[in-house]
């Protein structure tokens, strides 16, 4: 589904990623670990071009999205992202946060279909009211799933960290993405709230969602991931299944890293 | 102060019996129109400039636009408003072959002028919004412009509302120079009354009071607006 070929990224003169190659298949749950400053977050942010890669290719559903001529906005709709600091839209209520992008994108598609008179396009036969109604129903379903339906009309500032992050995850889900990128989703949370977020991520994993997760939660990585990447100094130094990764680490840097964090 | 009573009577006579109040109402209307429409134009121009100036600049087009915007801001902040009024009225309009009334000229010049100031206010407002908000918008597939309009600018406006209020108050007061291009504002009205009564003390005193009342009303309006915009914050 995602094919990363020789990805490099420089910030000024500093090489952050030095040629990353990785293949991500549908249904993969990939945890990316590594020391801070190793480039793991940058790697994740390059995947949806939040940082423009300096070199290399990212083939997503057959298109090289690292090419700056590609309309990245279309591809990002199929690539959800969850941030360390949640980044819920502060000026929107919880349900508006979830509905905003689906409604905006579908209304835009509908207007385009009507303008070009594409009568076969399903977007042609819909109306704005219908789109909003469907998006609201979907958003309520998602909120019920995470047990926050009663918070639909409050602003994010009144939620706890764990609640914010769960809303952020369903906001990404509302776009029906093919893959979700998680950038240290539990690092900014109080310890007692980590569990609720990880549980939601686990249930997504069980449903077969493709996920790429930068994390420091080794227990979670071991339990949920089917592949783990260890990144240091902008390179993948070791990758493998959780069993071989944790029980039989080969690279000396990984051994050293694991001895510190486990 | 018997003298003052005499002056007051003289003022009231012209104000009421010789239709002075018509002039004052007309002047008040023009002052408010110039300030309000100037502010609206200023906010539109300022928002556009501020948005252009925060676009990442590794492409050529944003750099050129940014240069144009910097020049614009430098031009309008670098010259006095009276000079701008005069140049617009006596230089720019004839060169373009256009005709405008004094009030129209004043609206445009105050709009263009406050646009330069508001662009910097708005830019600081945009920069005060956490960059994660823009990232989150882009990550769900919204464009830079859409994220700006729906997410960042509404939050920026909330942050800069007190400063924007300052700008509006400054605008109201600065409009007192529009008589340079023949627009009949409050100053013109009270000057007319003064000239006809050969007595300026009371007219100018009343003019000052009207300005103060106007500004107090605006401050109150801003306070109410701020309160309603703050409903997404926890600090109510």
């Amino acid at each position: 589904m995602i094919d990363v070929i020789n990805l490099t990224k420089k910030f000024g003169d500093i090489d952050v990623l030095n040629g990353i190659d990785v293949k991500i298949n549908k249904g993969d749950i990939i945890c990316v670990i590594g020391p801070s400053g190793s480039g793991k977050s940058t790697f994740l942010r390059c995947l949806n071009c939040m940082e423009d890669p300096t070199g290399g290719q990212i083939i997503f559903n057959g298109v090289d999205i690292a090419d700056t001529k590609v309309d990245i906005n279309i591809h990002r709709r199929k690539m959800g992202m969850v941030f360390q600091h949640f980044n819920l839209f502060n000026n929107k209520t919880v349900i508006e946060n979830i509905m905003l992008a689906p409604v905006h994108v579908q209304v835009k598609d509908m207007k385009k279909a009507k303008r070009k008179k594409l009568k076969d396009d399903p977007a042609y036969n819909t109306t704005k009211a219908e789109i909003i109604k469907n998006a609201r129903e979907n958003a309520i379903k998602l909120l019920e799933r995470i047990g926050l339906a009663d918070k639909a009309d409050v602003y994010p500032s009144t939620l706890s960290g764990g609640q914010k992050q769960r809303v952020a995850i369903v906001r990404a889900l509302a776009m029906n993405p093919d893959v979700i990128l998680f950038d240290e989703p539990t690092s900014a949370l109080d310890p007692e709230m980590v569990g609720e977020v990880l549980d939601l991520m686990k249930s997504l994993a069980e449903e077969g969602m493709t996920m790429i997760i930068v994390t420091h939660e080794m227990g979670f990585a071991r339990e949920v991931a089917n592949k783990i990447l260890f990144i240091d100094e902008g390179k993948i130094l070791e990758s493998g299944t959780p069993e071989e990764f944790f029980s039989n680490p080969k690279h000396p840097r990984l051994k050293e890293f694991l001895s510190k964090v486990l | 102060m018997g003298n003052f009573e005499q002056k007051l009577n003289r003022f009231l006579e012209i104000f009421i019996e010789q239709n002075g109040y018509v002039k004052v109402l007309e002047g008040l209307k023009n002052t408010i129109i110039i300030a309000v429409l100037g502010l609206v134009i200023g906010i539109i121009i300022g928002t556009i400039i501020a948005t252009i100036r925060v676009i990442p600049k590794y492409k050529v087009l944003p750099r050129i636009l940014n240069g144009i915007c910097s020049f614009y801001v430098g031009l309008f902040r670098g010259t006095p408003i009276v000079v701008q009024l005069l140049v617009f009225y006596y230089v720019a309009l004839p060169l373009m072959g256009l005709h405008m009334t004094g009030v129209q000229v004043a609206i445009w010049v105050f709009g263009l002028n406050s646009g330069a100031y508001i662009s910097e206010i708005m830019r600081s407002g945009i920069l005060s919004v956490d960059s994660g908000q823009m990232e989150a918008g882009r990550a769900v597939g919204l464009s830079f412009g859409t994220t700006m309009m729906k997410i960042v600018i509404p939050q920026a406006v909330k942050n800069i509302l007190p400063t924007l209020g300052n700008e509006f108050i400054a605008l109201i007061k600065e409009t007192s120079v529009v008589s340079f291009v023949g627009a009949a504002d409050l100053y013109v009205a009270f000057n007319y009354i003064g000239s006809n009564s050969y007595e300026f003390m009371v007219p100018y005193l009343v003019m000052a009071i009207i300005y103060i009342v106007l500004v107090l009303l605006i401050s109150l309006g801003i306070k109410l607006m701020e309160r309603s915009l703050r409903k997404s914050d926890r600090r109510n």
Side-chain angles (χ1 to χ4, degrees):
Chain A
M1 176 193 281
I2 306 179
D3 224 341
V4 182
I5 303 164
N6 195 26
L7 178 67
T8 58
K9 173 71 187 173
K10 282 182 192 191
F11 286 119
D13 291 336
I14 303 158
D15 293 310
V16 184
L17 298 177
N18 298 313
I20 299 238
D21 290 277
V22 65
K23 219 181 176 72
I24 295 150
N25 300 314
K26 194 165 168 31
D28 268 353
I29 293 150
I30 296 184
C31 282
V32 182
I33 63 172
S36 63
S38 60
K40 54 189 191 310
S41 273
T42 307
F43 162 65
L44 193 80
R45 290 164 59 81
C46 278
L47 288 180
N48 67 351
C49 299
M50 206 51 91
E51 304 288 353
D52 283 320
T54 312
Q57 290 175 299
I58 298 162
I59 315 288
F60 177 55
N61 291 339
V63 182
D64 178 14
I65 57 172
D67 185 346
T68 47
K69 289 185 203 79
V70 170
D71 182 0
I72 188 66
N73 295 329
I74 291 169
H75 299 285
R76 280 188 185 141
R77 293 174 195 168
K78 291 288 145 203
M79 234 182 197
M81 188 167 201
V82 174
F83 300 86
Q84 182 177 0
H85 295 288
F86 332 123
N87 295 351
L88 291 179
F89 304 132
N90 294 327
N91 59 330
K92 304 273 175 197
T93 61
V94 166
I95 196 159
E96 285 169 350
N97 261 279
I98 300 170
M99 290 166 61
L100 177 70
V103 168
H104 180 80
V105 164
Q106 286 173 58
V107 168
K108 213 167 144 192
D109 287 349
M110 175 196 76
K111 283 186 180 156
K112 194 173 159 200
K114 294 207 167 155
R115 202 170 51 234
K116 295 193 174 171
K117 308 221 182 311
L118 304 167
K119 295 215 167 92
D120 300 329
D121 191 325
Y124 185 84
N125 292 315
T126 178
T127 61
K128 190 171 176 184
E130 210 172 314
I131 290 170
I132 292 174
K133 186 170 151 276
N134 290 339
R136 180 172 288 276
E137 278 169 14
N138 188 39
I140 289 172
K141 244 181 254 165
L142 288 167
L143 282 174
E144 279 166 357
R145 172 180 182 162
I146 56 171
L148 291 177
D150 58 323
K151 300 277 189 193
D153 296 315
V154 306
Y155 285 95
S157 58
T158 60
L159 299 181
S160 73
Q163 291 172 330
K164 280 182 191 168
Q165 194 61 299
R166 286 185 286 147
V167 171
I169 292 172
V170 297
R171 175 175 70 178
L173 278 181
M175 294 296 284
N176 288 318
D178 295 331
V179 53
I180 302 184
L181 314 174
F182 292 85
D183 189 3
E184 304 198 24
T186 58
S187 298
L189 294 175
D190 289 344
E192 56 180 332
M193 291 170 182
V194 170
E196 61 191 68
V197 171
L198 292 182
D199 285 344
L200 175 60
M201 289 166 66
K202 257 181 235 172
S203 78
L204 290 182
E206 280 155 15
E207 286 166 17
M209 174 60 75
T210 312
M211 313 204 296
I212 304 167
I213 307 157
V214 171
T215 186
H216 294 295
E217 298 286 335
M218 296 301 153
F220 176 80
R222 189 177 222 158
E223 188 184 342
V224 179
N226 65 347
K227 191 176 180 184
I228 299 186
L229 306 178
F230 176 68
I231 294 189
D232 194 14
E233 287 168 358
K235 280 200 179 80
I236 297 180
L237 296 184
E238 189 159 341
S239 68
T241 62
E243 296 83 55
E244 52 181 310
F245 197 86
F246 285 106
S247 53
N248 187 19
K250 292 176 195 78
H251 199 283
R253 273 298 285 128
L254 175 59
K255 282 183 191 166
E256 187 196 332
F257 179 73
L258 288 179
S259 72
K260 278 184 199 152
V261 297
L262 287 182
Chain B
M1 289 297 280
N3 198 8
F4 185 78
E5 205 166 295
Q6 204 181 337
K7 285 174 179 171
L8 186 65
N9 287 336
R10 186 87 185 99
F11 169 75
L12 288 175
E13 185 190 325
I14 295 202
F15 187 75
I16 296 163
E17 282 160 30
Q18 297 187 27
N19 285 343
Y21 69 94
V22 178
K23 292 256 176 202
V24 169
L25 285 179
E26 173 80 13
L28 185 64
K29 192 188 82 186
N30 283 341
T31 292
I32 292 174
I33 285 178
I34 293 167
V36 170
L37 293 185
L39 186 75
V40 171
I41 295 173
I43 288 176
I44 294 169
I45 293 176
T47 308
I48 294 170
I49 294 179
T51 307
I52 290 172
R53 296 192 80 177
V54 295
I55 296 176
K57 285 171 201 62
Y58 43 76
K59 287 189 183 149
V60 180
L61 184 65
R63 260 191 232 161
I64 295 171
L65 290 175
N66 188 50
I68 294 171
C69 291
S70 302
F71 176 73
Y72 176 91
V73 173
L75 189 69
F76 277 91
R77 289 202 305 194
T79 49
I81 186 81
V82 174
V83 174
Q84 289 165 21
L85 279 168
L86 293 175
V87 168
F88 194 87
Y89 193 68
Y90 291 105
V91 181
L93 284 186
L95 284 179
M96 292 188 289
L98 291 174
H99 280 283
M100 280 192 192
T101 66
V103 174
Q104 285 168 335
V105 168
I107 290 171
W108 278 107
V109 170
F110 276 92
L112 293 168
N113 179 279
S114 67
Y117 287 92
I118 291 175
S119 76
E120 287 296 286
I121 298 173
M122 189 64 84
R123 193 163 69 93
S124 73
I126 290 172
L127 294 178
S128 75
V129 175
D130 177 29
S131 60
Q133 298 285 312
M134 172 56 80
E135 285 188 354
R138 300 306 309 273
V140 284
L142 303 179
S143 65
F144 177 87
T146 307
T147 313
M148 214 56 182
M149 291 237 304
K150 297 203 168 202
I151 308 296
V152 179
I153 289 179
Q155 294 181 50
V157 166
K158 193 174 72 179
N159 289 346
I160 61 171
L161 206 61
T163 328
L164 222 46
N166 261 351
E167 180 63 24
F168 187 40
I169 289 170
L171 257 179
I172 282 269
K173 295 186 294 184
E174 279 177 12
T175 55
S176 55
V177 299
V178 294
S179 56
F180 272 88
V181 290
D185 72 331
L186 274 178
Y187 163 73
V188 173
F190 283 103
N191 196 44
Y192 165 86
I193 293 176
S195 314
N196 278 329
S197 61
Y198 307 109
E199 179 44 65
F200 286 91
M201 185 195 256
V202 181
Y204 284 169
L205 186 65
V206 176
M207 176 168 77
I209 292 169
I210 291 183
Y211 272 114
I212 289 176
V213 170
L214 266 181
V215 168
L216 288 178
L217 284 175
I218 294 166
S219 316
L220 185 70
I222 294 163
K223 209 182 263 179
L224 293 175
M225 216 161 121
E226 208 182 333
R227 198 174 296 169
S228 79
L229 278 176
R230 287 255 169 236
K231 65 181 187 291
S232 64
D233 288 5
R234 228 191 277 196
R235 37 195 160 132
N236 286 328

